[in-house]
Amino acid sequence: MNTSQQPDPRDRPARLTVGVVGAGRVGPALAASLQLAGHRPVAVSGVSDASRRRAAALLPDVPLVPPAEVLQRAELVLLTVPDDTLPGLVEGLADTGAVRPGQLLVHTSGRYGVNVLDPALRAGALPLALHPAMTFTGTPVDVQRLAGCSFGVTAPDELRLAAEALVIEMGGEPEWIAEESRPLYHAALALGANHLVTLVAQSMELLRASGVSAPDRMLGPLLGAALDNALRSGDAALTGPVARGDAGTVAAHVAELRRHAPQAVGGYLAMARATADRALAHGLLKPELAEDLLGVLANGTDGAEGEAG
């Protein structure tokens, strides 16, 4: 006898018609994923040529219509627009009477919870905030990447099961985020993911400047191991000259960056200071070595001629 717990069919949303307002990189991928789960995309809005191409690639044969018409056609509407655009869009749709009572209105902004949907709530909509913690390319590969992707979920208590069910149907893992915690949650993701791209791009540029012909091949195994170690061990994974307290090496780094990539100095110093603080707090950086190191980081140039041992 199979004793594994099966999902209650009542917890699964009914098969819904789906609309997308904002055919950026996120909306068409989520709609395509919902389509694989049995829902039916019926309308999408997009203005730019790139948006139209994405919609055609991920949602073929789904008509492109104005936003208000998307809401007329769909029972579940994905609002996948930039964060700063979302409040005005919601208010405009509510003011024009486009929102229908009982309509599921889902936004994918990491910054906002469901309060941003209050104008639509007053018009009778059912508000959900489902933010996929994933970077999107705007191509069909995004649908595959949703498998196992965490979603930051915020919804009224009575809609929590429906919100979590939709995430699971897209292959994701729901993580409940309180309304007041959404900005901090989003800041944490931006700090890790968005800044990582900048750091890696700068590192590749510097490697090319130093004569490395394939910086991506060099960095791939190193960064993969560093990420894995950091996720497993946190601050215990810290290595390198800052964590060791090698002030001379750090000073040499700063001097080279000032000569060859002055635009990277500020970021290097800021991250080195943060690394030093964490290494000190976790006993990795010896206090007797920290003073010289912090002096180099504070001045940016002191000891810049020290040897990189």
Side-chain angles (χ1 to χ4, degrees), residues 9 37 67 91 102 137 147 162 166 171 173-174 184 208 246 282 285 297 299:
E91 193 162 338
T137 65
L166 285 170
E173 296 286 340
L184 179 61
R208 288 192 192 96
D246 292 340
H282 288 80
L285 174 58
L297 297 177
N299 295 309

Side-chain angles (χ1 to χ4, degrees), residues 90 99 105 114 117-127 156:
V90 175
V99 179
L105 214 55
V114 293
L117 298 174
D118 276 352
L121 176 65
R122 292 192 292 271
L126 306 177

